[in-house]
């Protein structure tokens, strides 16, 4: 089974760029990496998904190095409303199983 | 309109009881999931159903049984509840199974076993 690790918490200030890294030591060649955001008392919400190199959407970027043993979620110019827990999700066996990381609690300060 | 809904939102019950949590999605998705989030906020997949077939079954106790009457519903039935079952249970759905597909989560059901 894939084992994923993330920093427990991070602090940032409004307007800064935040990078959160997830380590996934034995991800398989074709497994995808997905990131979710969770606010208190809500279900997780999809942010971005990638397979290799770089993916960008309207809210975030995802960087995946060639060895794919880690991935970095980049949030540009965070605001107070970005305070949440961020989870990486790694699929296994071509999507037959999913493993969430332990989550990173991001606190954005004014 | 709510995409993935769960009932009840809160459930408090005593050890040994049997309870069910209901989940419905109106997105027309083919796959539905159940996740457990413990007190440390760790999320772990329990089950998923695709076209009424169980396609993932994590090593959860057989006291937990998913039931899907149709593609839009996946209910979770728990027998002989234990203290350790206290957690938040999330239902989710996706257009297909596995890779490529974004999962949409419900608001969660907080189960407290006393």
């Amino acid at each position: 089974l894939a084992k994923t690790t993330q920093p427990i918490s991070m602090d940032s200030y409004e307007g800064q760029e935040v990078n959160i890294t997830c380590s996934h030591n034995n991800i398989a060649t074709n497994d995808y990496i997905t990131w979710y955001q969770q606010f208190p008392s809500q279900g997780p919400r999809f942010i971005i998904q990638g397979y290799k190199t770089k993916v960008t959407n309207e809210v975030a970027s995802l960087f995946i190095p060639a060895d794919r043993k880690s991935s970095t979620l980049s949030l540009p110019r965070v605001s107070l409303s970005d305070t949440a827990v961020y989870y990486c999700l790694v699929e296994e066996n071509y999507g037959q199983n999913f493993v969430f990381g332990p989550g990173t609690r991001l606190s954005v300060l004014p | 309109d709510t995409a993935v809904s769960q009932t009840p939102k809160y459930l408090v019950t005593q050890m040994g009881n049997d309870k069910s949590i209901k989940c419905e999605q109106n997105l027309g998705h083919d796959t539905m999931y159940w996740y457990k989030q413990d007190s440390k906020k760790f999320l772990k997949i329990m089950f998923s159903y695709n076209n009424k077939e169980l396609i993932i079954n994590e090593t959860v106790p057989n006291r937990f049984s998913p039931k899907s009457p149709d593609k839009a519903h996946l209910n979770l039935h728990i027998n002989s509840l234990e203290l350790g079952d206290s957690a938040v249970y999330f239902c989710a759905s996706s257009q297909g199974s596995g890779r490529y597909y974004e999962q949409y989560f419900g608001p969660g059901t907080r189960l407290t076993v006393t």
Side-chain angles (χ1 to χ4, degrees):
Chain A
L1 292 177
K3 178 176 172 59
T4 55
T5 60
Q6 300 177 234
I8 294 174
S9 64
M10 297 180 68
D11 290 338
S12 180
Y13 290 96
E14 280 190 291
Q16 289 186 331
E17 178 185 75
V18 171
N19 296 309
I20 306 174
T21 297
C22 174
S23 297
H24 20 81
N25 58 350
N26 59 348
I27 188 172
T29 303
N30 296 315
D31 290 341
Y32 272 71
I33 301 150
T34 311
W35 283 81
Y36 283 82
Q37 175 192 56
Q38 186 179 28
F39 296 113
S41 300
Q42 295 185 24
R45 186 175 68 175
F46 174 90
I47 300 175
I48 197 167
Q49 181 182 68
Y51 168 66
K52 62 180 179 180
T53 61
K54 178 182 176 182
V55 179
T56 297
N57 62 20
E58 62 275 10
V59 298
S61 294
L62 178 60
F63 298 93
I64 304 170
D67 66 6
R68 296 181 12 96
K69 292 185 181 299
S70 67
S71 61
T72 298
L73 172 71
S74 181
L75 304 173
R77 299 180 299 282
V78 294
S79 63
L80 296 177
S81 62
D82 292 319
T83 294
V85 179
Y86 292 82
Y87 294 91
C88 62
L89 172 65
V90 177
E91 65 170 354
E92 293 182 330
N93 299 323
Y94 297 88
Q96 290 301 303
N97 192 22
F98 300 95
V99 178
F100 271 98
T104 297
R105 183 175 299 277
L106 172 65
S107 297
V108 180
L109 308 173
Chain B
D1 290 338
T2 302
V4 182
S5 59
Q6 298 178 226
T7 53
K9 187 170 178 62
Y10 300 97
L11 182 56
V12 181
T13 188
Q14 293 183 329
M15 286 175 57
N17 286 346
D18 302 338
K19 291 293 180 184
S20 292
I21 306 173
K22 295 185 177 180
C23 177
E24 177 181 2
Q25 55 95 3
N26 62 6
L27 298 168
H29 287 170
D30 291 329
T31 305
M32 297 182 71
Y33 312 83
W34 276 106
Y35 287 87
K36 178 181 180 180
Q37 186 169 46
D38 62 21
S39 58
K40 296 184 178 180
K41 305 298 184 185
F42 293 130
L43 274 161
K44 184 175 180 181
I45 190 166
M46 299 176 71
F47 304 103
S48 73
Y49 258 74
N50 179 282
N51 292 326
K52 293 192 175 183
E53 289 188 62
L54 182 68
I55 59 173
I56 300 176
N57 189 345
E58 274 294 298
T59 54
V60 299
N62 57 15
R63 299 181 294 104
F64 291 79
S65 55
K67 299 187 189 303
S68 180
D70 55 57
K71 198 172 74 168
H73 297 84
L74 182 64
N75 304 325
L76 182 65
H77 189 75
I78 316 170
N79 290 326
S80 304
L81 278 155
E82 301 178 357
L83 293 177
D85 297 333
S86 294
V88 180
Y89 292 84
F90 287 101
C91 177
S93 71
S94 63
Q95 188 174 359
S97 61
R99 53 190 27 217
Y100 312 130
Y101 298 111
E102 171 185 347
Q103 295 184 32
Y104 293 78
F105 283 78
T109 296
R110 181 175 295 276
L111 171 65
T112 303
V113 182
T114 62

